[in-house]
Amino acid sequence: MFQTFDSPASPDQGPPRLVALRAKLGAMGLDGFLVPRADVHQGEYVAARDERLQWLTGFTGSAGFCIVLPEVAGVFIDGRYRTQVKAQVDLGSFTPVPWPEVKPGDWVKEKLAQGRVGFDPWLHTREEVERLERSLEGTGVTLVPVSENPVDGIWRDQPLPPFGKAFVHPLELAGESHAAKRARLAEGLRKAEQKAAVVTLPDSLCWLLNIRGADVPKNPVLHGFALLHDDARVDLFVNPAKLDEAVRVHLGPEVSVHPLQGFAETLKGLAGPVRVDKGTAPLAVSDILKAAGVEVAWGDDPCRLPKACKNAAEIAATREAHLRDGAAMVEFLRWLDEQAPKGGLTEISVVQALEGFRRATNALHDISFDTICGAGPNGAVIHYRVTEETNRPVLDGELLLVDSGAQYLDGTTDITRTVAVGDPGAEERECYTRVLQGLIAISRVRFPKGLAGRDIDALARFNLWVAGQDYDHGTGHGVGAFLSVHEGPQRISRVSEVPLEPGMILSNEPGYYREGAFGIRLENLIVVQEAPALGDNRAQMSFETLTFAPFDRRLIMVEELSPGERRWLDAYHAEVLEKLGKRVSGATLSWLKDACAPI
């Protein structure tokens, strides 16, 4: 099994660890410390060695941070984790703080009149630190970069750095050689009159060089740093033992491999201007450059936008991955439909079964994240991860939310379906139908070229809003091509200002959650495309749906759907049957025909 069910959260360990950290801070002359969920590469997903926030507090979410002060330790969490955090931290020692509604600077000013608050400059971006510094101007609180991370100083059994071997991502799947990518991006540097660019994000590095790795669970990325020069050469800083001969031959003579330890010293010897992404590179990078007199040119990571805009080969490969995954998902849904009414299923047994159907494809590289399988009230925990301690039976009359995904060599998938076990009730069907209407709205929309995710996010929420409901997460995140299941900069979110461009893959996942009762989420992946000509032929964008699996018709209040929504749903289900019917077993085909029948 790729997924395990142990509980990494240790709320009982939080208080003594917090006491030890405060003692360490006192010895360092500090009154506080910032503990982010981040590593030196600033990726969203981190290796076990870098789970400092989890180790200290017990909180296992994929985003958040802790600010430790003398009398209080605030765990800052967004809307996805406000239910989860209360079960994972010792509330006598740690205080959950709703973020971003409560800004960290405002919170610190309220809790600390004066003092020195330390931070590790390798674990925070310049943008992040500057924002906090501005909010603390005129106070007695000073931010202090430290060379020794005090959490590491008290974490006696801290895991070793990850050691996953790199491997080549084939050209037929990448669609463009790394030489061509390097040349294309280097031309951009020359036009900007920049000598080099620093690449710190693991998925950017892997995309640029057409390699993949195994340093982060569920994400096929390699830990390292890269310097892209304006002549298309790359200096790659990585543990050399991770690269076998095949990878070295693939990289070729224009990519020089160096030990990680040489990165900082090489920065000092660069000729500027050097591009650094203020929002993704560690603060330490620009500090080293500036201290050495190297001119820093602030700009976007040169790989992020090209990586987000998938080429034709990547999209074709991703389509195939989704059809394969869709067939496995349909086999699972048929199995679940047959087994759940019999009783005896638990969240863990459901997760194990789903992974088994994906393994049966003989193409599964890994799952793309730990499957979120929430029965009844556990479905309301947005990023719930079942453990042996929380494992709940799948009961008659409840909803079951299953959010899962897979990593195949040809693509990354992410799909959510919420299904009924027995008769969950009229209110659950009403809420489900509103969520489905939101998904359909995003699927059907045409929008002017140049609009960003924030401009269409509200479409998914309209039917919920008019019922006085909403959900506390974005409507969609970017997705990589056999890379990270969460990819930037593209998003469908009220805070996303990045224009949506052809080739960007996103999730479409509205939801509704009632704490202590049930959760509903529905998710397909979509890809941005130029919309076919229509009307006065303005330049418009639309979405192609990549994910194929039926929605639970038992939960749909058909009378609430508009004619256009009904047409979309019938057409989608007809396409599911047409695309997947020949890929599933005979017994499942019969079930699929019923599941996809016109409403």
Side-chain angles (χ1 to χ4, degrees), residues 170-357:
L171 179 59
E172 60 267 24
L173 298 179
E176 183 182 17
S177 70
H178 72 82
K181 291 179 180 179
R182 290 187 285 105
R184 178 157 60 99
L185 271 55
E187 182 180 4
L189 293 178
R190 293 194 298 273
K191 287 181 178 179
E193 298 183 343
Q194 296 166 355
K195 291 295 186 181
V198 180
V199 178
T200 63
L201 290 171
D203 60 338
S204 288
L205 184 154
C206 289
W207 173 86
L208 176 64
L209 298 177
N210 286 348
I211 56 176
R212 299 294 187 264
D215 281 334
V216 178
K218 317 297 187 293
N219 292 267
V221 296
L222 175 73
H223 275 170
F225 298 107
L227 296 172
L228 171 66
H229 299 277
D230 64 352
D231 60 359
R233 292 182 301 106
V234 164
D235 285 307
L236 173 62
F237 298 86
V238 65
N239 182 340
K242 294 181 180 180
L243 310 182
D244 64 16
E245 186 61 24
V247 173
R248 290 176 180 271
V249 169
H250 161 79
L251 293 175
E254 292 189 331
V255 178
S256 302
V257 178
H258 312 276
L260 270 171
Q261 295 81 353
F263 177 59
E265 198 61 35
T266 302
L267 288 175
K268 298 175 185 177
L270 292 176
V274 174
R275 184 190 296 191
V276 178
D277 190 328
K278 186 180 287 191
T280 65
L283 172 66
V285 170
S286 53
D287 282 351
I288 291 169
L289 290 168
K290 289 182 175 182
V294 181
E295 181 182 353
V296 173
W298 301 117
D300 293 338
D301 173 335
C303 302
R304 289 191 87 199
L305 190 57
K307 168 172 55 67
C309 298
K310 313 296 186 292
N311 59 43
E314 289 173 311
I315 294 172
T318 296
R319 288 192 189 107
E320 175 59 28
H322 277 81
L323 293 177
R324 181 188 310 115
D325 198 61
M329 192 72 190
V330 168
E331 296 282 0
F332 162 74
L333 289 172
R334 190 265 300 176
W335 170 87
L336 182 62
D337 211 27
E338 291 179 352
Q339 298 300 317
K342 300 176 183 178
L345 291 184
T346 67
E347 292 167 337
I348 287 179
S349 64
V350 170
V351 171
Q352 291 172 328
L354 177 52
E355 185 171 318
F357 285 112

Side-chain angles (χ1 to χ4, degrees), residues 3-9 11 60 84 87-88 346-348 351 371 373-379 381 383-394:
Q3 185 159 338
T4 60
F5 305 99
D6 58 308
S7 177
T60 65
Q84 176 178 329
Q88 291 191 321
T346 67
E347 292 167 337
I348 287 179
V351 171
T371 295
C373 179
N378 284 347
V381 182
H383 275 195
Y384 172 70
R385 176 186 177 273
V386 58
T387 68
E388 296 287 355
E389 290 77 17
T390 66
N391 188 28
R392 193 174 189 278
V394 177

Side-chain angles (χ1 to χ4, degrees), residues 497-575:
E497 300 179 351
V498 176
L500 298 176
E501 298 186 26
M504 288 180 169
I505 297 176
L506 302 116
S507 66
N508 173 10
E509 52 177 314
Y512 177 68
Y513 313 91
R514 184 163 303 169
E515 187 173 351
F518 62 86
I520 299 165
R521 186 163 61 252
L522 300 172
E523 177 185 19
N524 284 344
L525 296 194
I526 52 180
V527 59
V528 182
Q529 60 184 0
E530 294 184 1
L534 184 68
D536 56 5
N537 200 24
R538 292 173 180 263
Q540 290 186 308
M541 300 287 128
S542 63
F543 294 117
E544 172 194 344
T545 296
L546 297 171
T547 304
F548 293 98
F551 299 101
D552 192 339
R553 296 168 70 241
R554 297 166 298 190
L555 286 167
I556 302 172
M557 301 187 72
V558 177
E559 66 275 15
E560 296 297 324
L561 300 182
S562 70
E565 290 167 341
R566 296 184 193 189
R567 285 193 297 271
W568 183 91
L569 185 59
D570 280 344
Y572 175 76
H573 277 155
E575 195 170 6

Side-chain angles (χ1 to χ4, degrees), residues 106-166:
D106 294 338
W107 186 85
V108 170
K109 285 187 287 188
E110 179 186 330
K111 305 296 182 183
L112 187 67
Q114 61 181 11
R116 291 161 44 86
V117 177
F119 70 95
D120 186 335
W122 282 101
L123 302 182
H124 299 269
T125 66
R126 176 165 290 279
E127 183 176 86
E128 186 182 351
V129 173
E130 286 182 347
R131 187 185 306 118
L132 187 52
E133 285 178 332
R134 285 194 299 269
S135 69
L136 294 174
E137 286 179 356
T139 73
V141 179
T142 305
L143 290 183
V144 181
V146 299
S147 57
E148 175 197 359
N149 190 305
V151 176
D152 295 351
I154 63 171
W155 190 354
R156 301 304 181 193
D157 57 348
Q158 185 176 23
L160 295 172
F163 184 74
K165 291 296 187 98

Side-chain angles (χ1 to χ4, degrees), residues 50 417 547:
D50 300 303
R417 291 295 184 264
T547 304

Side-chain angles (χ1 to χ4, degrees), residues 342-577:
K342 300 176 183 178
L345 291 184
T346 67
E347 292 167 337
I348 287 179
S349 64
V350 170
V351 171
Q352 291 172 328
L354 177 52
E355 185 171 318
F357 285 112
R358 286 192 164 115
R359 284 182 176 275
T361 65
N362 295 317
L364 183 65
H365 179 82
D366 201 340
I367 53 177
S368 54
F369 56 95
D370 281 335
T371 295
I372 299 165
C373 179
N378 284 347
V381 182
I382 296 174
H383 275 195
Y384 172 70
R385 176 186 177 273
V386 58
T387 68
E388 296 287 355
E389 290 77 17
T390 66
N391 188 28
R392 193 174 189 278
V394 177
L395 299 178
D396 183 70
E398 293 186 341
L399 297 180
L400 178 68
L401 187 156
V402 182
D403 183 349
S404 68
Q407 294 283 10
Y408 304 102
L409 296 181
D410 48 3
T412 301
T413 71
D414 185 358
I415 175 175
T416 308
R417 291 295 184 264
T418 302
V419 300
V421 182
D423 181 5
E427 187 174 16
E428 285 84 344
R429 287 195 291 272
E430 289 172 356
C431 295
Y432 181 98
T433 302
R434 293 179 192 125
V435 172
L436 177 61
Q437 288 174 309
L439 180 141
I440 293 173
I442 296 295
S443 303
R444 295 176 63 199
V445 69
R446 295 169 60 102
F447 54 95
K449 184 177 181 180
L451 293 193
R454 69 177 184 184
D455 300 311
I456 64 172
D457 178 82
L459 297 174
R461 303 176 190 267
F462 173 78
N463 289 91
L464 289 165
W465 282 353
V466 297
Q469 300 171 334
D470 203 355
Y471 51 94
D472 293 323
H473 56 76
T475 299
H477 55 82
V479 179
F482 187 46
L483 273 174
S484 298
V485 73
H486 285 181
E487 175 184 84
Q490 72 276 28
R491 284 191 292 171
I492 302 176
S493 162
R494 63 188 68 177
V495 299
S496 178
E497 300 179 351
V498 176
L500 298 176
E501 298 186 26
M504 288 180 169
I505 297 176
L506 302 116
S507 66
N508 173 10
E509 52 177 314
Y512 177 68
Y513 313 91
R514 184 163 303 169
E515 187 173 351
F518 62 86
I520 299 165
R521 186 163 61 252
L522 300 172
E523 177 185 19
N524 284 344
L525 296 194
I526 52 180
V527 59
V528 182
Q529 60 184 0
E530 294 184 1
L534 184 68
D536 56 5
N537 200 24
R538 292 173 180 263
Q540 290 186 308
M541 300 287 128
S542 63
F543 294 117
E544 172 194 344
T545 296
L546 297 171
T547 304
F548 293 98
F551 299 101
D552 192 339
R553 296 168 70 241
R554 297 166 298 190
L555 286 167
I556 302 172
M557 301 187 72
V558 177
E559 66 275 15
E560 296 297 324
L561 300 182
S562 70
E565 290 167 341
R566 296 184 193 189
R567 285 193 297 271
W568 183 91
L569 185 59
D570 280 344
Y572 175 76
H573 277 155
E575 195 170 6
V576 170
L577 181 60

